[in-house]
Amino acid sequence: MPTTPVYPKRPKSHVVGDSAVDIFTSACPKAWIVHPIGSDYGLDLRVELTTNGEVRGDEFFVQVKGTQSVTADSDGFAHVEVAQSTVNYWLGKLHPTMVVLVDVTRQRFWFDWLEYAYRDYPRVVSGERNCNIVLSAESASTKFESDVSKYVRAHFQRLRADVARLFESAQLTRVLLHT
C-alpha cells in the first residue's frame, strides 16, 4: 500500500517572526544600514545610523518579537515577557538595545530602549525568571527616525565623553607615576 510522504513543516511562529522583522526593517530609513544577526541569542538586528551619508559608528541592537495581535494597556503601552538571562545579556552590551513588539496583522509595532523598558536597569539579576518589558512608543504615533537618531547619537556622545575623561585621567596617572 502506498504511503503519503511526510515533509518538514514551517511553524507559524517562524512566519510571524520573519514578518515582524520585515515590518520593523521597512520602517527604518533606507539610509540606515540594517544587519541581520545570524545566531539568535536574544538579538535580531544591528542597525547603523548615517549622517549625511557618513557612517560614524552610531549603532544599536534590536530584539524583535512578533505576534498576531498586540493589545496595549490603558496607557497605550505594550508588554512583552523576556527571559532574565536575555536581559542580562543585553545589559552586557555597550551599544543601546531596542526591544520591539510587532503586531503583524495591523503592521504596527511598539518599541522602547532597554534603559526605559526594564524596571531594574542597569542591574543584572540572578535567577531564572521572565521580565515584563514595557514598551511605551508606538510606531504610528511617533517620529520614529528622529526619535531613534536623537537617542542613539546622545548615547554615543555621552559614551565618547566618558571615554575621553577616562583617557585624560589615565594620562595624568601615567605622568604622576613617572615623576
Side-chain angles (χ1 to χ4, degrees):
M1 159 173 17
T3 60
T4 304
V6 177
Y7 299 99
K9 293 189 176 13
R10 179 163 158 82
K12 190 171 189 165
S13 62
H14 289 191
V15 175
V16 168
D18 288 349
S19 296
V21 169
D22 290 345
I23 290 165
F24 174 80
T25 301
S26 69
C28 294
K30 297 296 181 205
W32 292 0
I33 305 161
V34 180
H35 303 277
I37 295 176
S39 300
D40 188 357
Y41 292 102
L43 293 171
D44 295 305
L45 304 168
R46 182 174 54 88
V47 180
E48 290 186 70
L49 304 183
T50 58
T51 303
N52 300 323
E54 297 175 341
V55 180
R56 297 182 179 183
D58 296 340
E59 58 187 19
F60 61 97
F61 292 112
V62 183
Q63 171 61 50
V64 180
K65 299 281 190 179
T67 186
Q68 290 287 10
S69 176
V70 173
T71 304
D73 66 19
S74 60
D75 294 322
F77 299 166
H79 299 259
V80 62
E81 293 290 315
V82 178
Q84 181 66 55
S85 59
T86 301
V87 173
N88 290 343
Y89 172 65
W90 296 339
L91 290 169
K93 301 286 186 186
L94 290 177
H95 291 25
T97 299
M98 176 188 284
V99 183
V100 179
L101 178 63
V102 180
D103 179 324
V104 298
T105 302
R106 294 184 292 169
Q107 297 193 3
R108 295 167 48 186
F109 60 89
W110 283 255
F111 66 97
D112 215 333
W113 300 101
L114 182 62
E115 75 172 287
Y116 302 129
Y118 175 55
R119 181 186 65 219
D120 293 323
Y121 187 89
R123 193 167 56 94
V124 172
V125 176
S126 299
E128 293 294 321
R129 69 175 188 150
N130 282 335
C131 302
N132 179 38
I133 304 295
V134 182
L135 308 176
S136 63
E138 199 263 316
S139 60
S141 62
T142 62
K143 298 177 291 292
F144 179 70
E145 179 178 0
S146 64
D147 290 350
V148 169
S149 295
K150 181 179 175 182
Y151 176 87
V152 172
R153 289 194 173 97
H155 171 85
F156 281 100
Q157 284 175 340
R158 286 189 312 270
L159 183 61
R160 289 178 184 115
D162 290 346
V163 168
R165 278 192 299 280
L166 183 61
F167 182 74
E168 289 168 5
S169 172
Q171 290 291 79
L172 178 60
T173 301
R174 277 194 207 126
V175 167
L176 292 174
L177 288 174
H178 287 334
T179 49

